[in-house]
């Protein structure tokens, strides 16, 4: 059962706001976070201002030496660190899966007759699957077997 959101909960938090919060807290200033993230100071300031205004809470105390988190800011920072950490883990796992899939190989041996009648027409069809991570290749183990269509055809699935 899903819980219903509170009517006065404020706007939804956005992932980029969480990233900016973590960066500013870690760097100690908007300027340093801006350099670390490679985005403008105004983009960070605007995102954090929207976060503060949306929840009607000050997250930072702005001082001449930089920014200090308020109690609300420290609370949200803990959540933001968990969220951004989980996102980084998910991205890493997806990259590992992508890399694992990219090196997987399936070899199928068929006679020239089966290839010519079943495989080649399917692989050479314009509707053959298309994905940049997988592919097929053909080797001529049974000579003399004309595979002109095979030599031209390449598909990825």
């Amino acid at each position: 059962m899903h819980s219903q959101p509170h009517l006065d909960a404020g706007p939804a938090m956005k992932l980029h706001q969480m990233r900016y919060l973590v960066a500013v807290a870690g760097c100690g200033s908007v300027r340093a976070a801006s350099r670390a993230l490679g985005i403008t100071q105004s983009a960070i300031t605007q995102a954090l201002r929207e976060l503060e205004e949306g929840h009607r809470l000050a997250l930072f105390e702005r001082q001449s030496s930089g920014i200090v988190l308020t109690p609300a800011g420290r609370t949200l920072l803990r959540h933001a660190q968990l969220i951004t950490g989980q996102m980084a883990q998910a991205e890493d796992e997806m990259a590992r899966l992508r890399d694992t899939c990219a090196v997987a190989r399936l070899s199928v041996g068929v006679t020239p007759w089966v290839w010519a009648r079943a495989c080649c027409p399917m692989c050479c069809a314009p509707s053959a699957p298309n994905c940049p991570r997988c592919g097929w290749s053909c080797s001529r183990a049974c000579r003399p077997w004309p595979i002109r269509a095979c030599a031209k055809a390449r598909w990825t699935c």
Side-chain angles (χ1 to χ4, degrees):
M1 179 176 213
H2 297 287
S3 63
Q4 295 296 321
H6 297 290
L7 295 177
D8 62 348
M13 292 180 208
K14 299 174 182 134
L15 184 58
H16 74 278
Q17 293 170 327
M18 299 296 104
R19 286 183 173 144
Y20 298 172
L21 175 65
V22 170
V24 170
C27 294
S29 72
V30 172
R31 184 177 186 184
S34 168
R35 279 185 260 139
L37 294 172
I39 59 172
T40 65
Q41 292 180 43
S42 62
I44 293 174
T45 301
Q46 180 181 350
L48 295 178
R49 187 175 296 129
E50 288 172 3
L51 195 57
E52 288 180 317
E53 289 172 359
H55 295 284
R56 297 185 307 263
L57 290 168
L59 302 175
F60 300 100
E61 291 178 12
R62 285 125 179 113
Q63 300 175 351
S64 60
S65 60
I67 290 182
V68 177
L69 290 167
T70 64
R74 286 191 297 276
T75 298
L76 185 55
L77 177 63
R78 283 196 318 272
H79 292 285
Q81 289 169 328
L82 291 170
I83 291 165
T84 57
Q86 287 292 309
M87 287 296 295
Q89 277 186 325
E91 289 169 357
D92 290 346
E93 286 184 38
M94 294 299 103
R96 275 195 301 278
L97 288 171
R98 183 180 54 248
D99 293 344
T100 300
C101 292
V103 298
R105 182 178 177 158
L106 171 65
S107 297
V108 178
V110 295
T111 65
W113 188 90
V114 170
W115 177 259
R117 298 287 187 270
C119 300
C120 198
M122 180 178 58
C123 296
C124 297
S127 62
N130 190 8
C131 168
R133 301 227 183 315
C134 303
W136 71 272
S137 63
C138 178
S139 63
R140 295 199 282 188
C142 301
R143 296 185 192 261
W145 176 46
I147 58 169
R148 278 179 243 132
C150 176
K152 293 179 183 176
R154 290 284 183 251
W155 65 261
T156 57
C157 65

